[in-house]
Amino acid sequence: MTNFKGVAAPSSKKRYNILAMVFVTVVINYLDRSNISVAAFAMKEDLGLSNIQMGYVFSAFAWTYACLQIPGGIVADKLPTRILYTIIMALWSIATLIQGFVNSFTALIGLRASIGVFEAPSYPTNNLVVTRWFPENERASAIAIYTSGQFLGLAFLTPTLVAIQNYMGWRGLFIVSGVIGLVWAGIWYLFYRDPGDHKKVSTSELEYIEKGGGLFTKKSTSEKSEKFKWQDFKQAFMYRKLWGLYIGQFCLGATTIFFLTWFPTYLVEFRGLDFLKSGFLAAIPFLAAFAGVLLSGFTSDFLIKKGYSVEIARKAPIIIGMLLSTCIIGANYTDSTFFIILFLAVAFFGNGLASIAWVFISLMAPKKMIGLTGGAFNFIGGLAGVVVPVAIGYLVDDGDFSPALFFIGGIALLGFISYTFIVGKVERIVPKY
């Protein structure tokens, strides 16, 4: 870990403004992924869809999202972040808005898949932004803050989304969500810049970031990006420690996907809760996950600054979090609403603890392949979104949700095993060519 105590404190802190922008972007990103879960109960009745069909609807986003993670990572490495994010955010917001006008299962599948296409480069881009703007000893905290956007945003937005649907219907819910994204795409274009191109960032802050391991350089207008090499693609899949991260991300994603898709349906249809009440109860696990990811990120950076090894500071929160996520199984053994929400909240708190996993891409990926490696990482993680919603649809088709929760808990246990035994030493990988 880089030690840069000799560098003077920066006279500006523009990196935090950038982090706030990434945070809001993540909130909107997950709003457009998860609004389908709020709309699902009414949509299923209105369009006459079965549980199995809803499983495919929930899964459709991940079909394209997962498959395009590696191309998305390559694109993130090669295209200017300001332009790329503006375009993809505008496109996925338009697709979200159009969902408010669908009348068929096929059209719904197509639109969900198109959102997956346009959101594919988003998380590799988020990771690139933080890797450029933050020194290594602040990076886990930065990743925790922007990752928490998916949890805090949904915690507060879920009751709001439920209220919007209650008054405007599920179609109005999609239209409002799409308009919000279009507005933010314009704001991103106006205000985002990379460190070397930001006119208001001080020289001392640039030095602070660079001396601390921030990976940025100011390119001249004539400088061209290196061309993609197929050898780079091979490198992203030839290391055991990277496969440990990939498997762990799949397992992390399984719990997240349950909460982003089937969770409201579970509360309303399988636990018999009132729809409006379920919106407020659904916020509790998201708040728990928000607390988990912030605790994880700030504790991890604190331990690094106190001299603890990277293995302890970075891996311990993730390993503990994966174990806690298995608590989701406890909801099968109670009919008390309080204890159902408690078990689910503890499980999602653990998921939050483990959600700083992106820091390993920042620390371990080859320097010129951070976007590509991040794409591979999110590709494997995104496969959870393909498999899990459909699997749950089949598991619950007979009206019993218990097997689905056992399924999610078992995958979380696999994640614990992967991070504990496969990842190994945390160190930057030097390509073998």
Side-chain angles (χ1 to χ4, degrees), residues 111-185:
L111 286 168
R112 294 303 297 173
S114 69
I115 294 173
V117 171
F118 302 131
E119 287 198 8
S122 58
Y123 255 72
T125 303
N126 294 340
N127 194 52
L128 268 174
V129 170
V130 168
T131 302
R132 289 169 180 159
W133 272 98
F134 283 84
E136 288 182 8
N137 74 339
E138 294 181 358
R139 206 167 291 157
S141 301
I143 290 172
I145 289 171
Y146 83 66
T147 302
S148 73
Q150 70 192 59
F151 303 124
L152 183 64
L154 293 175
F156 286 105
L157 285 175
T158 297
T160 304
L161 295 178
V162 168
I164 290 173
Q165 178 169 316
N166 195 49
Y167 290 103
M168 298 181 64
W170 63 268
R171 297 182 185 277
L173 174 62
F174 287 120
I175 293 170
V176 170
S177 299
V179 170
I180 291 172
L182 286 170
V183 170
W184 186 252

Side-chain angles (χ1 to χ4, degrees), residues 97-118:
L97 189 154
I98 295 174
Q99 282 178 106
F101 300 94
V102 300
N103 288 299
S104 71
F105 171 70
T106 303
L108 190 56
I109 288 285
L111 286 168
R112 294 303 297 173
S114 69
I115 294 173
V117 171
F118 302 131

Side-chain angles (χ1 to χ4, degrees), residues 131 136 139 213 215 360-367 370 426-430:
T131 302
E136 288 182 8
R139 206 167 291 157
L215 301 181
F360 289 112
I361 301 301
S362 210
L363 295 172
M364 297 170 65
K367 287 186 177 181
I370 291 176
V426 179
E427 59 187 356
R428 178 80 62 194
I429 293 172
V430 179

Side-chain angles (χ1 to χ4, degrees), residues 337-382:
T337 299
F338 172 82
F339 282 106
I340 290 169
I341 297 300
L342 177 63
F343 280 119
L344 295 174
V346 170
F348 216 20
F349 172 79
N351 187 265
L353 282 179
S355 291
I356 63 164
W358 271 99
V359 74
F360 289 112
I361 301 301
S362 210
L363 295 172
M364 297 170 65
K367 287 186 177 181
K368 295 183 179 180
M369 294 168 49
I370 291 176
L372 172 58
T373 308
F377 177 74
N378 227 25
F379 163 65
I380 304 297

Side-chain angles (χ1 to χ4, degrees), residues 91 150 240 264 271 281 304 313 326 337 354 358 377:
L91 290 173
Q150 70 192 59
R240 188 197 70 177
R271 288 298 188 173
L281 291 176
I304 286 291
T326 64
T337 299
W358 271 99
F377 177 74

